[in-house]
Amino acid sequence: MAVTALAPDSDEASRILTLAQIEFGRLRGLLAALDDDLLDRAPAEGEWSVRETMVHAISVERSYRANTQHALVRGEDDPLRLPADRRPKPDPADTAGGVLDILASFATRRAETDAALAGLNAAQLVRPSQWGPYEVMHQIDVRFRLHRFASHIVEHAVQCDKTMESLGVTLNDPRAVVRAIGAMRGAHERRSPRATSDALDAALIARADAVGV
């Protein structure tokens, strides 16, 4: 087991974002069981494939970040709603390629979120924002928005899990362990140097090769 001497996250915003990274790690562990040739296979007519689900998940990651940043910088007389010209445009490169390519793109977008929003202070956490189309009825704050990163990843990890099960990729003991490792690695990588995470990855790959996984 690798142990880092770094202190835990000292501010609330970073602790909230760690929850999102844990769930992203769990999602990575889930999708590790998916072959690339199943990425575009829908479980039923009219339902999303895993790739389509990831298009949505990554797009929303970027949208949540843009909306949160708007809440932080807007003037008191500016509208709560993010202006249309500042809304992120879909990037097909985010979900091009195979499973590992998509996960790498998602990891990059998650790192962008962390870089932009970790370390917010107490006053920033209560800055007003908007949820949905009605400013008065759905006014929320930045703290609420930060929590939505993790919950949205959970929602669509569950969706991917159900899709994979319908395609014959069922949960077994090794896959359950990989998901648990993924979640723990998600927490680890926000606190540990990259070299430590790389060493853990190398050890896991060596262990898998040794047992013929």
Side-chain angles (χ1 to χ4, degrees), residues 46-96:
E47 296 187 8
W48 286 351
S49 65
V50 170
R51 190 189 302 276
E52 289 172 315
T53 302
M54 295 300 287
V55 168
H56 171 77
I58 296 174
S59 295
V60 169
E61 173 84 21
R62 298 175 64 209
S63 175
Y64 281 1
R65 179 172 68 249
N67 275 278
T68 306
Q69 290 175 303
H70 173 66
L72 294 169
V73 302
R74 57 173 283 275
E76 294 305 318
D77 296 327
D78 294 335
L80 290 176
R81 188 173 182 83
L82 178 67
D85 61 351
R86 291 178 52 196
R87 295 181 182 279
K89 303 296 188 294
D91 187 349
D94 283 339
T95 49

Side-chain angles (χ1 to χ4, degrees), residues 1-43:
M1 176 180 293
V3 179
T4 177
L6 297 180
D9 295 320
S10 60
D11 62 275
E12 183 181 357
S14 294
R15 291 194 295 271
I16 294 170
L17 290 171
T18 293
L19 299 177
Q21 194 65 17
I22 289 170
E23 295 309 326
F24 174 63
R26 201 185 314 275
L27 173 65
R28 275 190 309 214
L30 165 69
L31 295 184
L34 184 68
D35 292 334
D36 287 346
D37 59 3
L38 296 178
L39 259 175
D40 297 299
R41 190 174 301 179

Side-chain angles (χ1 to χ4, degrees), residues 9 11-27 61 110 114 143-144 146-154 182-191:
D9 295 320
D11 62 275
E12 183 181 357
S14 294
R15 291 194 295 271
I16 294 170
L17 290 171
T18 293
L19 299 177
Q21 194 65 17
I22 289 170
E23 295 309 326
F24 174 63
R26 201 185 314 275
L27 173 65
E61 173 84 21
R110 288 252 59 259
D114 286 348
R143 178 183 284 108
F144 177 94
L146 291 184
H147 277 290
R148 283 296 297 155
F149 286 99
S151 59
H152 192 259
I153 294 172
V154 170
M184 184 57 66
R185 189 190 189 285
H188 205 299
E189 64 194 352
R190 275 192 44 80
R191 298 182 180 179

